[in-house]
Amino acid sequence: MSEKIISTKSNLQVLHEDNHIIVINKRVGDLVQGDKTGDKPLSEIVKEYIKEKYNKPGEVFLGVVHRLDRPTTGIVVFAKTSKALTRLNELFSKRETQKTYWAVVKNKPPKSEDTLVHYLKRNEKSNCSKAHLKEVPESKRASLDYKIIKELNNYLALEINLHTGRHHQIRSQLAAIGCPIKGDLKYGFDRSNPDGGIHLHAQKLAFIHPVSKEELVLLAPTPNEIIWNSIK
């Protein structure tokens, strides 16, 4: 059983930091940006970390570029300057990034590798997205590639490359082919994980640095947990 650790300014998992960006390996339960729960978000914790590390007076600038669902783990990029934020927002909105996720599922998918295309319709009330094979009113096209990367005793590990960035896309698309993610009660898995998270991890992100223009390839170690550890 994995012990739940909450991110703080003193235990942040910083994967990369320079003058313009800071990249964090998000833990289970970390909220990227403030919401109605009122819980302290990762964005505020990163600000505290920067303020203390550089002894900065006054407000620290930090821009939220993208989000990860609260029960997932992995790479989150923040902008430390307004220049970087503008350019990163453009990169992410134009999908000029390569995102790779790892997921652990119980059921074997129909094929060992495949491209999935669905039309996702979001239900604001339940905060879920339902995957349809054909377009329905107010749905958005969603596409991803997956492949099996390891067969475990009771589970399978999948590598997923996203082509679009829709609400709960990986969770709903895998559930639609009968492969809900371990711990994901919302999308049909039969029991929760002890830490309240799900086995979905943003493992790799590649993009061109917004200022230096060099290619950045970032890798996030998976949580220290028995199933994740058996995939490494």
Side-chain angles (χ1 to χ4, degrees):
M1 179 172 163
S2 61
E3 186 186 342
K4 187 166 179 179
I5 301 168
I6 304 297
S7 289
T8 65
K9 65 181 177 182
S10 53
N11 71 3
L12 266 186
Q13 301 180 95
V14 180
L15 299 172
H16 172 89
E17 185 183 3
D18 58 45
N19 290 338
H20 294 278
I21 65 174
I22 181 166
V23 185
I24 305 296
N25 189 6
K26 172 184 145 12
R27 292 182 169 95
V28 163
D30 287 346
L31 184 65
V32 175
Q33 195 172 29
D35 69 359
K36 59 178 183 284
T37 61
D39 295 343
K40 184 187 278 190
L42 197 54
S43 54
E44 289 302 315
I45 294 162
V46 175
K47 280 184 183 181
E48 289 175 357
Y49 163 85
I50 292 168
K51 191 176 179 71
E52 188 172 279
K53 181 177 180 181
Y54 301 101
N55 199 15
K56 279 184 176 279
E59 273 290 294
V60 170
F61 178 89
L62 192 79
V64 177
V65 178
H66 65 125
R67 293 163 193 78
L68 283 183
D69 298 341
R70 193 164 188 172
T72 65
T73 54
I75 297 171
V76 182
V77 180
F78 294 98
K80 290 170 68 178
T81 61
S82 54
K83 181 181 183 178
L85 179 61
T86 304
R87 292 180 182 176
L88 283 170
N89 281 340
E90 199 174 320
L91 273 180
F92 276 78
S93 67
K94 288 181 174 175
R95 304 217 54 79
E96 292 173 355
T97 57
Q98 284 178 291
K99 295 178 184 176
T100 303
Y101 288 76
W102 283 358
V104 174
V105 298
K106 190 174 188 177
N107 304 324
K108 194 166 188 171
K111 298 177 181 176
S112 59
E113 56 183 282
D114 202 4
T115 299
L116 302 182
V117 178
H118 290 95
Y119 294 87
L120 303 192
K121 184 168 182 177
R122 184 172 179 175
N123 181 329
E124 297 282 352
K125 202 173 277 185
S126 64
N127 193 33
C128 281
S129 286
K130 184 163 173 53
H132 300 267
L133 288 172
K134 292 183 177 170
E135 201 168 352
V136 298
E138 295 168 41
S139 64
K140 292 180 175 175
R141 187 178 182 278
S143 169
L144 60 79
D145 292 334
Y146 76 80
K147 66 179 177 185
I148 297 172
I149 52 170
K150 192 151 188 185
E151 297 199 22
L152 310 168
N153 288 342
N154 300 308
Y155 302 101
L156 297 106
L158 309 180
E159 184 173 279
I160 293 134
N161 285 298
L162 279 180
H163 308 148
T164 53
R166 306 299 183 202
H167 174 258
H168 290 183
Q169 179 178 336
I170 297 172
R171 297 165 69 181
S172 59
Q173 285 198 272
L174 290 183
I177 61 164
C179 300
I181 294 167
K182 185 180 181 304
D184 200 355
L185 297 179
K186 188 169 265 196
Y187 287 95
F189 201 83
D190 54 6
R191 64 184 186 279
S192 58
N193 286 342
D195 62 6
I198 63 174
H199 275 70
L200 178 61
H201 180 71
Q203 187 260 342
K204 183 179 177 183
L205 180 66
F207 61 94
I208 302 298
H209 190 284
V211 181
S212 72
K213 304 302 181 194
E214 291 171 19
E215 188 185 22
L216 273 182
V217 180
L218 301 158
L219 296 172
T222 52
N224 181 20
E225 180 269 347
I226 190 165
I227 293 173
W228 282 128
N229 290 346
S230 64
I231 296 166
K232 293 169 185 174

